[in-house]
Amino acid sequence: MTSSALPDCVREWEELQQHYNEIQETHRSYRQELEELTKLQTRCSSSISRQKKKLKDLSLDLKKSRIKYTQDNEEQIKEIKETIKLREKAFFEMESFLPKKNGLYLSLVLGNVNVTLLSKHAKFAYKDEYEKFKLYLTMILLVFSFVCRFLLNSRVTDAMFNFLLVWYYCTLTIRESILINNGSRIKGWWVLNHYVSTFLSGVILTWPDGLMYQMFRNQYLSFSIYQSFVQFLQYYYQSGCLYRLRALGERHNMDLTVEGFQSWMWRGLTFLLPFLFFGQFWQLYNAITLFQLARHPECKEWQVIMCGVPFLVHFMGNFFTTLRVVQQKFQKQTEEKNE
């Protein structure tokens, strides 16, 4: 180092030192704001909990005292009930931006980690990434199942395919639980569906090669090809439909695509119903086939009956949930015509 370079180094060090002091001050301010934010979150969560409890008690009181209503206060009671419903929706929106205790599943997988995203942009980005993950993995599973069915007849590649399915459905259940914590309104069968799929894929993964496995293999892989194809159609068209409905203000920003049919799909996606019903009855056919194989004299594997039950559960859950949506839609249309 030359003597002329030393002053430059000292000057640069002094600038770095000054910048470091600024960073320390900024970080100190950040820590203070973070502590204040945590206090605000706790205060807000407590206030919402108290308000929700009082609204629940008020709703029960209104139901119990219904016989005491007079003609004069009937309208006032109706207005209060409608306001309570609107208040519950508002609290749901508020709570989606506040830390909350994880459910049993997330607690077992992640522990007591706060998974609430604090900005709308972060929530929508995570939801969008979830949708892309489903679409890309569905395409990979479609190709993989086709290769296993028509090009390779190996228990090793079959095991790799089923391991990918187990990982995929496990990942979906975790991501969906995080999205539910952040305000997504997916619930009921469409959540349980992926837990059943995880169990089914895990059982098939452990199914040893043999006569029973080979008798069901081609049927199962053909079904997997069809299922992946239908899921690809669903994710692709549902994403576009949700985008249009969100732009019109008719759907929530955190609504997700599902492997089935919901009421909001009635406009523009009814062409999917025949594909869905065909796949659902194929699930029933798989269950019947497995129950018949379980009665085969050479059947010794427990996996046969344990795969038949989830296929039957899939059929019943998918078929009756879809049927209920269709029935409710027809009932609503009939009521609107009568009005």
Side-chain angles (χ1 to χ4, degrees):
M1 182 184 296
T2 61
S3 57
S4 59
L6 182 59
D8 293 337
C9 291
V10 172
R11 187 165 52 254
E12 185 177 352
W13 168 251
E14 290 174 350
E15 291 175 357
L16 287 171
Q17 188 68 21
Q18 183 180 356
H19 189 218
Y20 174 72
N21 292 334
E22 292 174 358
I23 292 173
Q24 279 189 316
E25 182 62 27
T26 303
H27 186 262
R28 186 183 64 80
S29 300
Y30 163 73
R31 290 285 298 274
Q32 288 178 345
E33 294 289 339
L34 191 61
E35 289 177 6
E36 188 64 29
L37 174 64
T38 304
K39 291 177 183 177
L40 281 172
Q41 288 174 338
T42 304
R43 195 184 314 158
C44 193
S45 296
S46 300
S47 299
I48 290 173
S49 297
R50 285 195 298 270
Q51 181 86 183
K52 286 172 71 176
K53 186 178 183 301
K54 289 181 179 179
L55 286 176
K56 186 178 179 181
D57 293 339
L58 178 60
S59 297
L60 290 172
D61 290 339
L62 289 173
K63 287 181 180 178
K64 290 177 181 178
S65 61
R66 182 168 184 136
I67 55 173
K68 300 177 183 178
Y69 291 173
T70 64
Q71 192 66 32
D72 296 332
N73 60 22
E74 187 72 35
E75 286 296 322
Q76 185 181 9
I77 296 298
K78 185 178 178 182
E79 185 180 343
I80 290 173
K81 287 183 176 181
E82 290 176 355
T83 306
I84 288 174
K85 288 181 180 179
L86 292 174
R87 197 73 55 82
E88 288 172 350
K89 291 180 180 178
F91 286 147
F92 179 82
E93 287 291 324
M94 291 179 192
E95 287 179 325
S96 68
F97 290 92
L98 293 169
K100 57 177 71 68
K101 189 177 180 181
N102 293 337
L104 176 63
Y105 181 65
L106 273 184
S107 297
L108 290 172
V109 176
L110 301 177
N112 191 25
V113 178
N114 178 27
V115 295
T116 305
L117 303 172
L118 298 181
S119 71
K120 285 186 177 181
H121 175 74
K123 291 174 186 290
F124 190 78
Y126 188 79
K127 187 201 79 72
D128 190 51
E129 199 274 332
Y130 163 85
E131 300 287 10
K132 289 178 181 177
F133 171 79
K134 282 205 300 186
L135 184 62
Y136 296 155
L137 261 293
T138 300
M139 294 168 64
I140 292 171
L141 288 168
L142 176 61
V143 174
F144 207 156
S145 56
F146 180 86
V147 170
C148 289
R149 173 65 179 86
F150 296 106
L151 302 179
L152 298 174
N153 188 353
S154 168
R155 188 65 185 91
V156 175
T157 52
D158 289 359
M160 291 170 63
F161 171 70
N162 285 297
F163 180 80
L164 180 61
L165 278 175
V166 173
W167 173 79
Y168 170 61
Y169 285 120
C170 282
T171 306
L172 279 188
T173 56
I174 295 170
R175 293 188 181 212
E176 283 169 355
S177 297
I178 293 173
L179 285 166
I180 290 169
N181 262 26
N182 284 278
S184 288
R185 295 182 290 185
I186 181 173
K187 57 185 177 180
W189 168 249
W190 306 123
V191 177
L192 180 62
N193 175 44
H194 288 151
Y195 291 95
V196 178
S197 298
T198 304
F199 175 79
L200 174 61
S201 303
V203 173
I204 296 177
L205 178 62
T206 63
W207 194 345
D209 196 6
L211 178 61
M212 297 299 103
Y213 178 80
Q214 290 300 325
M215 289 177 70
F216 184 66
R217 178 184 182 273
N218 289 345
Q219 181 178 325
Y220 169 66
L221 290 173
S222 298
F223 168 76
S224 297
I225 294 170
Y226 180 81
Q227 184 182 47
S228 297
F229 169 71
V230 174
Q231 287 176 357
F232 173 79
L233 288 179
Q234 287 179 285
Y235 298 155
Y236 182 79
Y237 285 105
Q238 284 180 28
S239 297
C241 186
L242 274 175
Y243 181 81
R244 290 193 301 273
L245 291 174
R246 278 196 297 264
L248 294 170
E250 296 181 18
R251 297 305 301 176
H252 192 269
N253 283 335
M254 293 299 288
D255 281 353
L256 306 171
T257 60
V258 297
E259 296 168 12
F261 197 83
Q262 292 184 318
S263 57
W264 59 265
M265 302 175 198
W266 199 260
R267 217 184 308 172
L269 295 182
T270 49
F271 74 94
L272 290 173
L273 279 173
F275 293 98
L276 292 175
F277 281 126
F278 182 79
Q280 289 161 11
F281 278 101
W282 198 338
Q283 289 172 330
L284 177 62
Y285 175 60
N286 288 341
I288 293 171
T289 301
L290 287 163
F291 291 144
Q292 289 175 342
L293 287 176
R295 299 172 62 185
H296 195 282
E298 296 187 31
C299 178
K300 298 178 182 178
E301 299 94 332
W302 59 268
Q303 286 90 346
V304 178
I305 192 71
M306 293 305 292
C307 286
V309 173
F311 270 119
L312 183 60
V313 171
H314 267 307
F315 164 74
M316 294 174 66
N318 289 328
F319 180 72
F320 289 113
T321 303
T322 305
L323 212 60
R324 183 168 168 267
V325 171
V326 174
Q327 181 188 14
Q328 286 177 343
K329 192 65 180 179
F330 277 122
Q331 282 180 342
K332 188 175 181 182
Q333 288 179 341
T334 304
E335 290 172 1
E336 289 175 354
K337 286 180 181 178
N338 292 334
E339 290 175 1

